[in-house]
Amino acid sequence: MDIAIKGPWQRREIDQYLSQTRVPLRLACTAEDGFPRVVSVWFQYEDGAFLCAAHKDSQLIRILRQSPRTGFEVSTNEPPYYGVRGQGIAELSGEGGAETLQQLIRHYLGNSNTGLAEWLMSRSDDEVMIRVEVQRFFSWDYRKRMEIVA
């Protein structure tokens, strides 16, 4: 599937950024009440899709079951500002949730915070894998604009 791309970055730059970053994915979805929700989740990026995990009873999973259309953003909060946002379709699967969670723990925590890792893995049988197939990417990069001239 072709992904529509707008902004200063080409697909190669987007893929590289998303594969290397360790900031959470801000995932937006619309609940039954019609109001949007923005949820920060750990992710792994693979060939045009975000892989995430969430507990089967979480509000995020309930919302995505009702409405799989999502918006997302991956960026830091510190200047200079740059990142990727876009839209996609979430697919949920009971298969692979625990494995995805384990990969995310390694990616985000490594060997640190083993208490959190152990608690998360103690619930891993109830994890659902979220795969967000990207439809559109929008990149922005204000690094040159925000350079401080000495």
Side-chain angles (χ1 to χ4, degrees):
M1 171 186 213
D2 289 334
I3 298 173
I5 298 174
K6 291 187 178 182
W9 293 355
Q10 300 299 312
R11 175 70 186 267
R12 178 182 46 78
E13 294 168 290
I14 291 170
D15 288 351
Q16 182 178 10
Y17 172 72
L18 294 174
S19 296
Q20 294 176 351
T21 191
R22 281 190 166 64
V23 298
L25 170 76
R26 295 177 188 105
L27 189 63
C29 48
T30 306
E32 285 182 355
D33 63 5
F35 284 95
R37 306 290 196 275
V38 178
V39 180
S40 294
V41 293
W42 291 344
F43 75 94
Q44 190 168 334
Y45 178 75
E46 293 180 0
D47 194 32
F50 294 103
L51 300 179
C52 311
H55 192 270
K56 70 178 183 178
D57 295 329
S58 69
Q59 185 180 26
L60 176 59
I61 295 299
R62 285 194 302 273
I63 292 170
L64 291 174
R65 284 193 204 290
Q66 296 293 317
S67 180
R69 292 178 178 223
T70 65
F72 59 83
E73 180 178 279
V74 179
S75 68
T76 61
N77 293 323
E78 303 299 321
Y81 304 118
Y82 59 96
V84 176
R85 64 177 62 102
Q87 299 159 333
I89 305 295
E91 301 168 1
L92 306 177
S93 174
E95 301 289 317
E99 294 82 7
T100 300
L101 177 61
Q102 192 159 25
Q103 291 172 358
L104 295 172
I105 289 170
R106 275 195 303 272
H107 182 74
Y108 283 88
L109 297 179
N111 293 327
S112 67
N113 204 340
T114 55
L116 174 59
E118 288 173 9
W119 178 78
L120 289 169
M121 287 308 296
S122 74
R123 306 164 10 124
S124 65
D125 289 344
D126 293 330
E127 289 293 309
V128 173
M129 183 177 71
I130 304 167
R131 179 181 177 86
V132 177
E133 285 288 332
V134 176
Q135 308 290 305
R136 296 180 187 97
F137 278 130
F138 306 93
S139 64
W140 72 96
D141 192 338
Y142 300 144
R143 287 179 283 197
K144 287 187 182 189
R145 184 186 310 182
M146 296 179 79
E147 282 180 352
I148 298 174
V149 180

